[in-house]
Amino acid sequence: MSPTHDVIVIGLGGMGSAAAHHLSARGARVLGLEKFGPVHDRGSSHGGSRITRQSYFEDPAYVPLLLRAYELYEDLERATGRDIALLCGGVMVGRPDSWTVSGSLRSARAWDLPHEMLDAREIRRRFPTLAPADDEVALYEARAGLLRPENTVAAHLQLATRQGADLHFEEPVTRWEPYRDGVRVHTADHTYTAGQLVICPGAWAPRLLTDLAVPFTVERQVMYWFRPRNGVHPFLPDRQPIYVWEDATGVQVYGFPAIDGPGGGAKVAFFRKGRPTTPETIDRTVHDDEVTAMADHMSTRIPDLPGTFLKAATCMYTTTADEHFVIARHPAHPGSVTVACGFSGHGFKFVPVVGEILADLALTGTTAHPIGLFDPTRLTAAPTGGAHA
């Protein structure tokens, strides 16, 4: 059986759709396989908005990738005419020694990123919706803002299709395996072969990447939308920044301006306060006590925000032990398989540059982008090969 495709991409959410675009843009014959329909809400790339920022408190090593991602998001908007990014500014709020503030400042200084440090009085003056405590400060970044995840995935799928990629939806992969000089991928009704395989499994990583031997934790997360008590106008994007806010106990929340106009609301969520789950058993119902806990937490920080509860939605984080990504050639199959997973709740802002990296790795075996931090062998000894359910 001779391969009919150069590269098979498993998963067409954020990372997989970007990989399909970048691979097909370079002339590769691409087959994309997706368990659900296009731009679905069953995984991690939905919810209307995702934060983007460059003063990255997680680690300064991410900053070069963010700078490239910003360029690629602009390219994506120009190529498709879709609204992708809205740079409304952002504040990282907390005590001066908090991870959110000190880590953001570390990255800003390391990469000479434009930023301002604001004390509590200046935060209140600049952004009257916010009510920080007297001992809290903020790093303000004018180039921070939000991304529209559904538009981003749709744009990458649009370009991939235009460039000749063969994208199959509602066709879940049952297993994959090494085959001759490449790979063989099985779905319920078909078997495909290719020289290269790119796996972007999201929360399905524990099932599709068993021999990677990385211990992933899948977490149920909840996003909430409230109509502010005194109306949305103070929360519109020309007045309200995005924010990540860490309290004295280390709990972080993040939120957005009201991007759906006067009739909409503002979105907020806890960061890393989820429950372990699986894609098959996740509770999609958001319960009253969860809404109350979110409203109570925000009531002293943004007093007008928890006015009227509008809706909530669940999504999933797939988290590694150190909360850094996994992007690499598969250690057991370095000649034919590339993986991108474990984005640990902070990956979406990197979508287009991850697509570029995956195209590099699949087509050339290497990339000029700095991805040493994302080597899976940091988390486990190199696994042995085998079949994959």
Side-chain angles (χ1 to χ4, degrees), residues 114-192:
H115 67 282
E116 299 175 62
M117 294 304 302
L118 311 179
D119 62 17
R121 179 180 296 180
E122 184 65 8
I123 296 169
R124 298 183 200 115
R125 187 189 72 79
R126 296 264 292 268
F127 308 110
T129 59
L130 308 185
D134 289 342
D135 63 348
E136 291 182 315
V137 300
L139 181 145
Y140 173 72
E141 179 186 328
R143 291 278 289 165
L146 63 93
L147 304 165
R148 298 179 183 270
E150 289 89 348
N151 284 4
T152 301
V153 175
H156 279 133
L157 295 177
Q158 175 186 338
L159 293 180
T161 300
R162 183 190 301 171
Q163 292 152 184
D166 184 14
L167 306 182
H168 294 196
F169 297 96
E170 309 289 348
E171 188 171 351
V173 170
T174 56
R175 65 189 179 95
W176 63 271
E177 62 206 359
Y179 179 74
R180 296 181 179 171
D181 294 331
V183 293
R184 184 161 55 185
V185 177
H186 303 269
T187 67
D189 299 316
H190 300 282
T191 298
Y192 306 97

Side-chain angles (χ1 to χ4, degrees), residues 79-266:
T80 64
R82 296 178 183 268
D83 291 330
I84 303 292
L86 175 59
L87 302 184
C88 56
V91 285
M92 310 301 122
V93 187
R95 291 180 175 177
D97 61 350
S98 66
W99 183 41
T100 301
V101 174
S102 64
S104 298
L105 184 58
R106 178 186 172 207
S107 284
R109 288 174 172 170
W111 291 96
D112 196 24
L113 300 174
H115 67 282
E116 299 175 62
M117 294 304 302
L118 311 179
D119 62 17
R121 179 180 296 180
E122 184 65 8
I123 296 169
R124 298 183 200 115
R125 187 189 72 79
R126 296 264 292 268
F127 308 110
T129 59
L130 308 185
D134 289 342
D135 63 348
E136 291 182 315
V137 300
L139 181 145
Y140 173 72
E141 179 186 328
R143 291 278 289 165
L146 63 93
L147 304 165
R148 298 179 183 270
E150 289 89 348
N151 284 4
T152 301
V153 175
H156 279 133
L157 295 177
Q158 175 186 338
L159 293 180
T161 300
R162 183 190 301 171
Q163 292 152 184
D166 184 14
L167 306 182
H168 294 196
F169 297 96
E170 309 289 348
E171 188 171 351
V173 170
T174 56
R175 65 189 179 95
W176 63 271
E177 62 206 359
Y179 179 74
R180 296 181 179 171
D181 294 331
V183 293
R184 184 161 55 185
V185 177
H186 303 269
T187 67
D189 299 316
H190 300 282
T191 298
Y192 306 97
T193 61
Q196 294 289 324
L197 176 63
V198 174
I199 306 177
C200 303
W204 288 263
R207 185 176 72 82
L208 283 173
L209 291 172
T210 53
D211 77 338
L212 191 63
V214 170
F216 298 107
T217 300
V218 178
E219 299 173 356
R220 171 186 177 272
Q221 303 288 338
V222 183
M223 304 170 282
Y224 305 84
W225 285 259
F226 293 92
R227 180 172 293 121
R229 185 174 290 109
N230 292 315
V232 300
H233 285 88
F235 289 82
L236 294 177
D238 61 342
R239 305 178 187 184
Q240 174 80 357
I242 62 92
Y243 54 89
V244 180
W245 200 320
E246 182 178 341
D247 71 12
T249 69
V251 172
Q252 292 170 300
V253 293
Y254 65 95
F256 301 83
I259 61 174
D260 297 321

